[in-house]
Amino acid sequence: MSTFNHNDLMRDINASLAPFRKTQGSAMAGFGQLANAAITDGALSARHKELVALAIAVTQRCSGCIGFHVKALVQLGCKRAELEEMLSVCVYMGGGPALMYAAEAIAAWEKMAPPDLPSSA
């Protein structure tokens, strides 16, 4: 399991990308527009789309992505039970490596989710 803090990782990623955002403003604005359009409620809710994004992050082994998508899921009111069911599908499809990153996603959730967030409902 990772020993880093996802909040620190996300802060470091944002700091490292700040100059890139300035020099590549159009490309980064386009990426931001794509992200917003992809996650907007439609036939699937934003929460379900973020669960899909986190599943991809877990199976593609992207620690930074795990942090950002767990944070978004907490903000969208995702329940731990939803997170864990999605992670079980990740393990089914991605095997042992996905299990290692599922553990990382759970650790990030435990640091970011409020302690009084219900686990289901």
Side-chain angles (χ1 to χ4, degrees), residues 4-119:
F4 57 81
N5 181 309
H6 283 85
N7 288 315
D8 292 344
L9 177 63
M10 291 183 297
R11 184 199 63 232
D12 293 347
I13 289 169
N14 282 327
S16 294
L17 288 177
F20 186 67
R21 285 187 183 98
K22 289 180 182 174
T23 63
Q24 300 301 310
S26 294
M28 292 304 293
F31 181 78
Q33 289 174 330
L34 175 61
N36 288 334
I39 297 299
T40 298
D41 280 336
L44 294 174
S45 70
R47 187 172 78 227
H48 286 105
K49 291 177 179 184
E50 283 291 350
L51 283 165
V52 170
L54 180 57
I56 293 167
V58 167
T59 59
Q60 292 296 306
R61 305 174 194 139
C62 179
S63 295
C65 300
I66 288 169
F68 286 108
H69 293 293
V70 165
K71 180 180 178 181
L73 284 165
V74 168
Q75 292 171 341
L76 289 168
C78 182
K79 309 296 183 241
R80 185 178 177 124
E82 293 172 309
L83 174 83
E84 290 178 353
E85 282 189 31
M86 177 275 298
L87 291 173
S88 71
V89 175
C90 291
V91 174
Y92 161 58
M93 296 302 293
L99 180 60
M100 301 304 107
Y101 283 84
E104 185 176 312
I106 292 168
W109 176 271
E110 289 175 349
K111 287 185 179 158
M112 291 183 211
D116 59 343
L117 189 68
S119 62

